[in-house]
Amino acid sequence: MTNKDARTPASTQNPTETSANQEAGKSVGWHKAYVEGTRPDLRVPVRQVHLTNGQSVTLYDTSGPYTDPLVDTDVRRGLAPLRENWITARGDTEEYAGRPVRPEDDGIKHTAPRGGLRNLDAVFPGRPRLPRRGRAGQAVTQLAYARRGEITPEMEFVALRENVSPEVVREEIAAGRAVLPANVNHPETEPMIIGKRFLVKVNANIGNSAVTSSIEEEVEKMTWATRWGADTVMDLSTGRNIHTTREWVLRNSPVPIGTVPLYQALEKVDGRAEELTWEIYKDTVIEQAEQGVDYMTVHAGVRLAYVPLTAHRKTGIVSRGGSIMAAWCLAHHKESFLYENFEELCEILAAYDVTYSLGDGLRPGSIADANDEAQFAELRTLGELNTIAKRFHVQTMVEGPGHVPMHKIKENIDLQQEICDEAPFYTLGPLTTDVAPAYDHITSGIGAAMIAWWGTAMLCYVTPKEHLGLPNRDDVKTGVITYKIAAHAADLAKGHPGAQEWDDALSDARFEFRWEDQFNLALDPDTAREFHDETLPAEPAKTAHFCSMCGPKFCSMKISRSITEQFGGDSDATPEEIEAGMLEKSKEFAASGNRVYLPLAD
Amino acid sequence: MTNKDARTPASTQNPTETSANQEAGKSVGWHKAYVEGTRPDLRVPVRQVHLTNGQSVTLYDTSGPYTDPLVDTDVRRGLAPLRENWITARGDTEEYAGRPVRPEDDGIKHTAPRGGLRNLDAVFPGRPRLPRRGRAGQAVTQLAYARRGEITPEMEFVALRENVSPEVVREEIAAGRAVLPANVNHPETEPMIIGKRFLVKVNANIGNSAVTSSIEEEVEKMTWATRWGADTVMDLSTGRNIHTTREWVLRNSPVPIGTVPLYQALEKVDGRAEELTWEIYKDTVIEQAEQGVDYMTVHAGVRLAYVPLTAHRKTGIVSRGGSIMAAWCLAHHKESFLYENFEELCEILAAYDVTYSLGDGLRPGSIADANDEAQFAELRTLGELNTIAKRFHVQTMVEGPGHVPMHKIKENIDLQQEICDEAPFYTLGPLTTDVAPAYDHITSGIGAAMIAWWGTAMLCYVTPKEHLGLPNRDDVKTGVITYKIAAHAADLAKGHPGAQEWDDALSDARFEFRWEDQFNLALDPDTAREFHDETLPAEPAKTAHFCSMCGPKFCSMKISRSITEQFGGDSDATPEEIEAGMLEKSKEFAASGNRVYLPLAD
């Protein structure tokens, strides 16, 4: 099947497909296809939507092998290690025994009988594996390769996904304007890129938090979020089974996984912030790097001197990591151990190609605290840390707020880009007002769309439960869809090549009353179809040349189409020629006594 | 009760209240109160929220007498005519016999036995009334009064509502930068103002459309929409019982009601656009003006010459009114009868103080058509019409798009303000992408917040059912809440006096773990409380100093509060003094072996 009109960045080539997929696809109006690269093991997944007019639209796909009927997935076995050969072929990494997993990694108290409280069934049963890291002193990061002028298979993969040349990908990574999070211990990931020259990305958070949920639930949350378009997933689990849950998530995740190591480190000292040490933190980072975590949030910008700046704030410090580090500085009246040991941390991350996400521990938690001294003081420090990380060839992005009124949003992205040498900005919202708990996916979706238009590379989603409770399955979906809207609205505003073709394809379907095509092209086909059927359930209604909003008598699209068909349509007639034709047509029209609107009975 | 801290524009004075309201209020955390003006019959309703710390917050209230336990409302009797004495006291209007109501006003076919198909039960049973209009040739509009330097009770009412001086209100109306929609035949309305110097307003649409709903349902939809904050309601009913439905809605509406007379006129010619005449349209406008419609959408900007400009569009003409007028021009190949008779229409509207909402019949219906020649050609014509309307002292606002990508939004408001001498802009969204049917309240909420920040005075809401079906009760609520968020986010960005105090009050409650206050201050208290209880149902959780997201061990607010309390808090200590104090405190802290986080068991 050729791709006649609408194309998104992934569709420079005609995706290959299989008859089995065809069958699978046809029945649902779309199917999984692959764009092939320069080597047989480089196949970029896409979502191909089949239109009733015989054309097709190819969309970016984050859902992984789970939506390919030809791939047999098993959560207990994990996904195939797509990148393994690419990593080993580079010959700059080595397997090693690795750090032994300890009961405390899963939050088991030291006093407990070894493994006594451990849920043995939960141990990931998949193929045994040794961790891998860069050979002595080697930086095995995509940044290092890009700087050396190498175009890795990972870079070619994202180039096909984004519909740009591999060289553009390499340049953006080499310049530090984009990151390609890909830990050498997470070969299951399908490469993706985060940078302002590419499609705006969306992150979804999962995590059992204090109220524990099962390991299977967390894996299910991850596949559910990526099914709706999450580009990366952060596992913010706390409490029990952190290590084991993360293992299951990583082995089954087709997208990069991010974490906040500080959370697990705090568990290891029973939540006593003052008992945290660099050694415990470092050990936790290595534990997670060996598992395959692709990027880590590090709150090294919360310095002792900045804590007093938050004393007069309306909502103080609202970042968990920020408050933990502030508590530590407070207890010891010492400079942050993360700031003090940042260079050593860089060496560790470089050995696994773990990407930094420099956390904004002092982000504002209310409209009143937006863009204040504490926030910008930390941002300037994040700028210094970004410079250091780049020296160690560690890929780096920078996190941003938070709660910010619309008129103060642009200052955030502009300052961050200036201070951090255009390192990718990764923002939470921002929420544009504090007065709508239960609707913060919307208060923040507004700010997210704006800041992404102005240059933010990735948006961390917010669900309706923000400030109130733990998101359930529906909340996760609502959060992801809302943020995909914000991201796509920004892609349109930035004029990203091909972005508008998706809108055009849907609008064509709408104008031509191709209801099924509208549903299949929608960000959420299920809900669109459900809402339509609520008012006009009958099958015929899906081919009717009007909809339930105005009914046949009042359908503006209908009369409008008659104008288009009679005067111009696809022809090249000029407005003047059309105007002349109208006089003629209007006579025929009057003569025929033709009705523009059909009576309701019709 | 005094208003100690947080205040919104309505709270310059301490609202009066009654013990009965107190009781009613206390039980729900808020109650209806009134701000008194310079005369006993001038009482501005406000929503007073009682905080557990003894303070109170006063919020703008659109819900009408329905939320006042002391007022006995009856949908069959209608609301008390609040403005009647103000109108009669001016002595410039007179009652008259008025136009007889005909079966066809309710969509009854001419051939049908008189009233044969009429649902007699539906006739509004409330007090009989004669229509009122300005005495011979008199313009009885708020614009005319403002230009004469008169501050009407209506102007004083909105001044108290907006927390500005009556003179500012008069000036903005006199300059045509704001409108105060108040038909002399709708004395039940509580005056409100639409203009960029005031709070951004939200309109909600109701209407039985082709799929008929009962008259009671439409009245219920109106009270439901205003309960959640709709500032005006447009009755877009088509089909049967249009006249009767409108009568019920008007007699029970505390907010201005808007309509599109063209819809009813089309019903009178059985949906045959080409059979429309100026006489039928004019008769319909008078019919609706006598009932009390406060503002009317008039698509007089859709001129014959512009129709060809839409022929090559992706989605042609998506406005119902626009397509009807295009069809008429098409059928007769004549200039629009609305454009040709615009001055006579101005005379009619001036006699009842009906406000113009100049419709954008050629607004774009897709991202591809945004800001095109057809749209801006019509806008320039709306500029001419605005000038004419002002000559007749008719209050005028101008409607705007539609579907517009973020980077093309500002051009819309800037052009409209320039071309229409800063007449209030009233926009639908705009939707910032076409790809999310079922989520267009969000795709448009993003555009709405932005265009309102840049100067749009009123936003027409969009519900999740846009493009798909008819909104139900939940959709109406979701649409209104989403647009109240967009409007308030814009009020914050515009720095509207007092706007941020609402956010500050809620953020204070959040930081101090006053859960009940957070709920009561929320735009939607019910849903906020419900979401919280889903995760932590127990009553104690509502006083807990942590929430379900992070649990007690990880509560950032908690540690942050300890910092605030120990170092600074409400004191005037400088960061330096606080920093010095920290060293001291940290010693005590260490000595006491105090834990920053309580173990989960606590």
Side-chain angles (χ1 to χ4, degrees), chain B residues 382-401:
Chain B
L382 298 186
E384 292 169 31
L385 298 175
N386 171 63
T387 306
I388 296 169
K390 296 296 171 58
R391 236 175 39 227
F392 289 82
H393 306 297
V394 180
Q395 303 191 82
T396 306
M397 52 185 173
V398 176
E399 297 184 8

Side-chain angles (χ1 to χ4, degrees), chain B residues 281-353:
Chain B
Y281 182 85
K282 173 181 168 183
D283 174 68
T284 306
V285 166
I286 291 169
E287 170 190 350
Q288 298 192 7
E290 289 180 345
Q291 283 187 291
V293 170
D294 300 286
Y295 65 91
M296 299 182 185
T297 295
V298 178
H299 298 91
V302 179
R303 300 189 57 180
L304 176 65
Y306 304 155
V307 180
L309 301 179
T310 67
H312 294 307
R313 274 182 159 186
K314 190 161 284 292
T315 48
I317 299 173
V318 295
S319 147
R320 271 200 243 175
S323 63
I324 293 165
M325 289 313 298
W328 188 92
C329 295
L330 189 68
H332 301 281
H333 198 263
K334 279 203 198 127
E335 185 55 271
S336 155
F337 62 80
L338 292 178
Y339 181 80
E340 298 273 307
N341 298 280
F342 193 74
E343 296 201 345
E344 186 177 351
L345 190 55
C346 290
E347 285 169 0
I348 298 168
L349 268 53
Y352 301 90
D353 198 3

Side-chain angles (χ1 to χ4, degrees), chain B residues 563-593:
Chain B
I563 292 173
T564 305
E565 283 153 12
Q566 294 179 58
F567 314 106
D570 298 328
S571 90
D572 300 329
T574 66
E576 293 65 31
E577 292 165 340
I578 293 170
E579 219 283 335
M582 279 172 65
L583 179 51
E584 207 38 55
K585 289 287 182 184
S586 66
K587 288 176 188 154
E588 299 168 17
F589 186 84
S592 69

Side-chain angles (χ1 to χ4, degrees), chain A residues 361-374:
Chain A
L362 302 184
R363 67 170 176 266
S366 58
I367 291 299
D369 296 341
N371 297 20
D372 71 355
E373 194 184 353

Side-chain angles (χ1 to χ4, degrees), chain A residues 209 271-272 311-312 317-318 330 433-435 439 465 469 503 507 523-524 534 549 556 560 567 571 573 586 595, chain B residues 209 272 311-312 317-318 330 433-435 439 465 469 503 507 523-524 534 548-549 556 560 567 573 586 595 597:
Chain A
S209 185
R272 299 189 186 87
H312 293 307
I317 299 173
V318 296
L330 188 69
T433 171
D434 306 336
V435 303
Y439 297 85
K465 289 285 170 62
D503 299 71
S507 290
L523 253 179
D524 177 2
E534 255 181 52
M549 281 161 291
S556 59
S560 187
F567 314 106
S571 89
S586 68
R595 291 183 186 180
Chain B
S209 183
R272 300 188 184 86
H312 294 307
I317 299 173
V318 295
L330 189 68
T433 172
D434 305 336
V435 303
Y439 297 85
K465 289 284 171 62
D503 299 71
S507 291
L523 254 180
D524 178 1
E534 258 181 49
S548 57
M549 280 162 294
S556 59
S560 187
F567 314 106
S586 66
R595 291 184 185 180
Y597 297 104

